[in-house]
Amino acid sequence: QKEVEQNSGPLSVPEGAIASLNCTYSDRGSQSFFWYRQYSGKSPELIMFIYSNGDKEDGRFTAQLNKASQYVSLLIRDSQPSDSATYLCAVDTGRRALTFGSGTRLQVQP
Amino acid sequence: DVKVTQSSRYLVKRTGEKVFLECVQDMDHENMFWYRQDPGLGLRLIYFSYDVKMKEKGDIPEGYSVSREKKERFSLILESASTNQTSMYLCASVGFAYEQYFGPGTRLTVT
């Protein structure tokens, strides 16, 4: 069973701080890694994806991938109350499908 | 922008009814997926489709079937709705980098 693990949280950070969300995966063959944001009662929204080891930046978001450690993270700089949501990590299964983690709930305190 | 639409945001059905959930995407994507999402269980894959008339079972296909007669439309069918199928149903369309774009979801209640 290919697994994706995330701490359920809640992760609480003050407004303006950096939020760090972490994800580990079990399948060493996975090549593609995705981060989604999901507001309560809404559907997941793609934030960004990463394939290569290292960092990938998009605005206030940075994804970090370490395939040797089977670890992917998402950093949110200058966190805003509007960033309060559940963040889902997803990993490709090799059959064009994704395995999703159960998500980390982020709370940004004004 | 990718647009994925689902036929209903909220649906209430009775036990034993046949239920159709429709999903339409406007990006000519080949791959489309159906998930359900329940508190504490996360997203679970029901069925997916690689192309018109092609389908594959996901992790929890029991009690469901699907139809893909046109590339843009992927339907999920609950053959005989049961209360344990009360859930949020999410359709996704897959881009060239295997990223998935979700529709707004259908919250189905079976009474």
Side-chain angles (χ1 to χ4, degrees):
Chain A
Q1 178 86 15
K2 297 173 182 176
E3 294 183 347
V4 178
E5 301 286 341
Q6 295 182 258
N7 189 317
S8 61
L11 172 66
S12 186
V13 300
E15 184 174 354
I18 296 175
S20 178
L21 303 158
N22 304 316
C23 172
T24 59
Y25 59 95
S26 63
D27 183 9
R28 286 196 169 274
S30 295
Q31 297 294 319
S32 309
F33 307 86
F34 304 83
W35 282 101
Y36 287 83
R37 176 175 62 196
Q38 186 173 24
Y39 292 112
S40 181
K42 303 293 186 183
S43 60
E45 172 192 8
L46 180 67
I47 299 172
M48 62 191 304
F49 50 88
I50 187 168
Y51 303 127
S52 304
N53 276 329
D55 295 359
K56 179 181 179 183
E57 187 174 316
D58 184 358
R60 293 187 298 113
F61 299 99
T62 298
Q64 299 176 317
L65 175 61
N66 183 326
K67 289 186 180 179
S69 300
Q70 296 176 244
Y71 178 96
V72 58
S73 63
L74 179 71
L75 302 179
I76 306 174
R77 288 183 299 282
D78 189 24
S79 295
Q80 301 298 309
S82 59
D83 294 325
S84 298
T86 297
Y87 289 80
L88 303 174
C89 172
V91 176
D92 81 277
T93 66
R95 58 169 188 169
R96 310 180 210 183
L98 300 180
T99 297
F100 287 82
S102 55
T104 298
R105 189 157 61 95
L106 173 66
Q107 294 177 339
V108 181
Q109 306 295 337
Chain B
D1 279 358
V2 177
K3 190 168 178 67
V4 182
T5 58
Q6 295 185 229
S7 48
S8 305
R9 292 299 305 274
Y10 300 94
L11 207 53
V12 179
K13 295 292 182 181
R14 293 191 182 276
T15 301
E17 280 193 81
K18 192 168 187 176
V19 181
F20 294 86
L21 304 180
E22 286 208 322
C23 175
V24 178
Q25 49 96 1
D26 67 351
M27 286 299 291
D28 202 36
H29 288 161
E30 292 184 346
N31 301 327
M32 297 182 73
F33 289 71
W34 274 107
Y35 296 90
R36 63 178 285 178
Q37 188 175 33
D38 302 286
L41 297 177
L43 279 160
R44 293 183 289 167
L45 180 61
I46 305 171
Y47 265 98
F48 57 108
S49 169
Y50 290 148
D51 205 342
V52 175
K53 297 192 187 295
M54 305 287 286
K55 59 186 179 185
E56 276 205 30
K57 293 179 180 180
D59 300 320
I60 52 163
E62 296 78 19
Y64 303 94
S65 63
V66 290
S67 172
R68 189 138 181 230
E69 297 296 321
K70 292 185 177 182
K71 195 172 188 178
E72 68 270 19
R73 190 178 302 266
F74 190 33
S75 300
L76 179 70
I77 303 155
L78 286 66
E79 298 291 343
S80 177
S82 64
T83 54
N84 63 12
Q85 292 179 310
T86 291
S87 186
M88 169 73 100
Y89 289 88
L90 292 160
C91 173
S93 180
V94 183
F96 75 96
Y98 298 133
E99 76 279 20
Q100 296 192 9
Y101 299 96
F102 286 87
T106 295
R107 187 164 295 280
L108 172 67
T109 301
V110 182
T111 61

